[in-house]
Amino acid sequence: ATANIGVVGLAVMGSNLARNLASREGNTVAVYNRSRSKTDELTEAHPEAEFVPAFSYEEFAASLQKPRAAIIMVKAGRPTDAVIDSLVEVFEPGDIIVDGGNALFTDTIRREKAVRETGINFVGAGISGGEEGALNGPSIMPGGSDESWVTLGPILKSIAAIAEGEPCVTHVGHDGAGHFVKMVHNGIEYADMQLIAEAYDLIRRGTGKTPAEIAEVFAEWNRGELESYLIEITAEVLRQVDAETGKPLVDVILDQAGAKGTGAWTVQTALSLGVPVSGIAEATFARSLSSHPEQRAVSRDLPGPDEGLKVDDADAFIEDVRLALYASKIVAYSQGFDEIRAGAAEYDWTIDLGAVSKIWRAGCIIRAQFLNRIADAYDAQPELPVLLTAPYFVEALGRAQGAWRRIVSAAAGAGIPAPAFSSSLSYYDGLRAERLPAALIQGQRDFFGAHTYKRIDKEGTFHTLWSGDRTEIEAEDTH
Ligand code: 6PG
């Protein structure tokens, strides 16, 4: 046995991860794919790489040093279960099976429990950064046991992206914690993308600038506090000209956004946990709305305002949009970290939120300078209940809120959808509110269902006899 790590599944992500592993000092990589041709292709294309090709699970296991460690890079769902079953047959207690796909964290919890019975370690690891990241350095979010981290830690550190000298990988927490955090990463990714799209749309409609001109705006923003991979690639996309028509590519792409489900998982999970991730939810729903052409077709003639967006000073307007984007982005991240905090409490994980923000600084899709500020916030106050109340963000929100309100009002007045901008602002104002109309909702619930309420001025649970003489009685707490 010569290999210290194995990869099963040699489609693009798997091949790239295997090449990344093989390129690092000290790694020899066993590779296996269900169809032999992919394995041959990989090893023939990269004769320089330290690969040990295997053509059966037995051969694969025999080529790995103990404790064996293998990373599965196949489609989430049934294909993953099938590979796990095969590996469990040929692996021994103490060995480690890593699922590097985008698995639903509850599947990871289930699999970890089942595999643990055999004495084998199962690690669900979120891997972000797409094909390029897998090859040159992704951000890695592993869960699983402490025992598995001893073997896996150094290997994953050897291939992860580096941010300010630190590898972008940390042992996030036990069993499904890694995949949970990757899920929320993707939810934040959805929100960030939607916010950028809304900013583009407002600038285009407000100033009449061309996509190429707006690309310059984003390139400029990328030199400031919004600096991030997503802003950078937005400029690239907006600059692209379609070879066939000569039009901006963005104008010939069908305006129906796809989704593979991780955004929806983030929202579904947040609903169950009772965490208001409204920005992420609106971003996910905006993709859904875009993808119903039949509904959009019958709605096209619904009445709207007579006037479009009126902008007198284009530069001032663009600066307002920038600030609205920044403020909404702070909200999206704050909501995402709130979900991680709630998930950790629910599933009994110890998750270092500062460490999570640090491993997102490079390698992953949401990589950004901004994440250093989140790390600082949690360094200063690890138990911070609402991320956006950290002093740095309070200052930024104070600076941005006027612009944010102007942009949301302007969008509403002109009939331009800005669901992520406006829901983020409502969340912010909801948090700030001294009193919320939730009191009225409690009254309504008590009226129709005797659901009871609490009072601001004394302990206990109360019910008004709505259908009787409307006096108040002390009641059993029914929430
Ligand atoms: C990553 C990405 C990657 C992918 C998502 C979202 O971190 O590398 O998040 O996992 O982009 O699956 O894809 P959809 O937009 O298709 O849902």
Side-chain angles (χ1 to χ4, degrees):
T2 50
N4 64 321
I5 181 79
V7 176
V8 178
L10 301 176
V12 185
M13 284 294 286
S15 298
N16 283 2
L17 200 75
R19 286 173 59 196
N20 183 355
L21 282 159
S23 72
R24 311 293 165 150
E25 191 65 41
N27 287 339
T28 298
V29 188
V31 288
Y32 173 77
N33 193 73
R34 194 160 54 117
S35 63
R36 184 189 177 113
S37 58
K38 281 238 158 59
T39 314
D40 289 337
E41 266 169 45
L42 175 69
T43 51
E44 279 160 26
H46 301 282
E48 77 292 348
E50 301 278 341
F51 287 137
V52 185
F55 299 100
S56 67
Y57 280 108
E58 289 75 15
E59 245 179 79
F60 182 72
S63 66
L64 283 162
Q65 293 159 5
K66 296 178 192 177
R68 299 179 183 87
I71 306 178
I72 305 174
M73 297 297 288
V74 301
K75 274 208 180 74
R78 215 169 286 221
T80 302
D81 280 312
V83 176
I84 294 169
D85 290 347
S86 305
L87 285 176
V88 163
E89 299 225 334
V90 294
F91 274 20
E92 291 168 298
D95 290 349
I96 304 160
I97 299 173
V98 183
D99 173 16
N102 262 335
L104 181 58
F105 75 97
T106 46
D107 284 342
T108 303
I109 292 174
R110 166 180 63 77
R111 289 171 179 145
E112 199 273 340
K113 207 167 154 206
V115 173
R116 199 190 323 136
E117 310 249 296
T118 69
I120 297 169
N121 292 290
F122 182 78
V123 176
I127 301 183
S128 177
E131 297 170 11
E132 208 267 342
L135 183 60
N136 297 316
S139 168
I140 313 175
M141 294 148 253
S145 66
D146 297 337
E147 181 188 47
S148 57
W149 179 242
V150 175
T151 303
L152 227 41
I155 298 171
L156 297 182
K157 282 180 185 163
S158 77
I159 59 163
I162 304 283
E164 298 176 26
E166 295 170 86
C168 291
V169 56
T170 188
H171 184 208
V172 173
H174 291 156
D175 58 72
H179 274 139
F180 186 95
V181 163
K182 174 59 168 49
M183 173 187 78
V184 175
H185 164 283
N186 281 29
I188 294 173
E189 171 184 311
Y190 275 49
D192 217 338
M193 292 167 73
Q194 174 67 23
L195 291 168
I196 292 172
E198 289 177 18
Y200 150 76
D201 194 33
L202 284 160
I203 294 175
R204 191 156 185 192
R205 299 216 223 175
T207 69
K209 281 185 188 289
T210 64
E213 287 165 342
I214 301 172
E216 295 316 309
V217 172
F218 280 99
E220 175 65 33
W221 288 359
N222 202 39
R223 289 189 277 275
E225 60 196 355
L226 279 172
E227 193 257 46
S228 66
Y229 171 73
L230 284 170
I231 293 279
E232 179 191 326
I233 66 162
T234 299
E236 303 264 345
V237 174
L238 290 175
R239 245 181 235 134
Q240 185 73 12
V241 174
D242 175 45
E244 209 166 302
T245 58
K247 292 183 182 166
L249 180 67
V250 72
D251 286 348
V252 297
I253 296 178
L254 193 65
D255 60 344
Q256 297 174 19
K260 287 196 284 290
T262 49
W265 290 348
T266 311
V267 180
Q268 283 162 349
T269 304
L271 287 170
S272 316
L273 292 169
V275 182
V277 293
S278 48
I280 298 171
E282 286 298 347
T284 309
F285 288 137
R287 290 196 192 187
S288 313
L289 188 150
S290 78
S291 299
H292 285 290
E294 68 301 343
Q295 294 186 342
R296 292 174 61 192
V298 297
S299 308
R300 200 132 301 148
D301 294 328
L302 288 173
D306 296 331
E307 297 246 314
L309 200 51
K310 273 201 117 85
V311 172
D312 298 327
D313 181 341
D315 288 343
F317 177 74
I318 289 170
E319 177 58 8
D320 272 3
V321 173
R322 188 186 72 79
L323 287 165
L325 173 53
Y326 191 49
S328 305
K329 179 174 165 133
I330 293 171
V331 166
Y333 282 71
S334 189
Q335 292 179 343
F337 276 88
D338 195 16
E339 181 163 352
I340 297 176
R341 209 180 40 80
E346 173 72 17
Y347 294 99
D348 230 353
W349 298 317
T350 307
I351 299 183
D352 178 342
L353 300 178
V356 168
S357 68
K358 281 189 176 159
I359 65 167
W360 287 348
R361 287 177 304 173
C364 67
I365 305 294
I366 63 171
R367 59 185 181 259
Q369 274 303 320
F370 175 78
L371 287 150
N372 274 317
R373 304 287 79 78
I374 297 179
D376 293 345
Y378 285 120
D379 274 352
Q381 224 182 316
E383 301 300 323
L384 187 65
V386 183
L387 175 61
L388 59 76
T389 61
Y392 179 88
F393 296 123
V394 173
E395 184 279 324
L397 290 163
R399 209 161 22 89
Q401 60 123 7
W404 200 7
R405 295 182 195 288
R406 283 193 292 278
I407 290 299
V408 170
S409 317
I416 298 172
F421 275 6
S422 42
S423 70
S424 305
L425 180 57
S426 287
Y427 172 84
Y428 174 76
D429 284 331
L431 279 180
R432 282 187 337 102
E434 175 85 35
R435 288 276 295 162
L436 286 168
L440 176 58
I441 290 170
Q442 285 298 80
Q444 292 164 331
R445 293 176 68 240
D446 190 57
F447 187 100
F448 63 65
H451 294 301
T452 74
Y453 51 85
K454 307 251 194 232
R455 297 182 54 102
I456 59 170
D457 51 2
K458 55 183 172 191
E459 288 288 303
T461 300
F462 302 91
H463 169 57
T464 290
L465 299 167
W466 295 103
S467 43
D469 64 1
R470 304 211 163 178
T471 54
E472 184 179 77
I473 58 166
E474 277 229 43
E476 290 267 299
D477 187 353
T478 63
H479 306 291

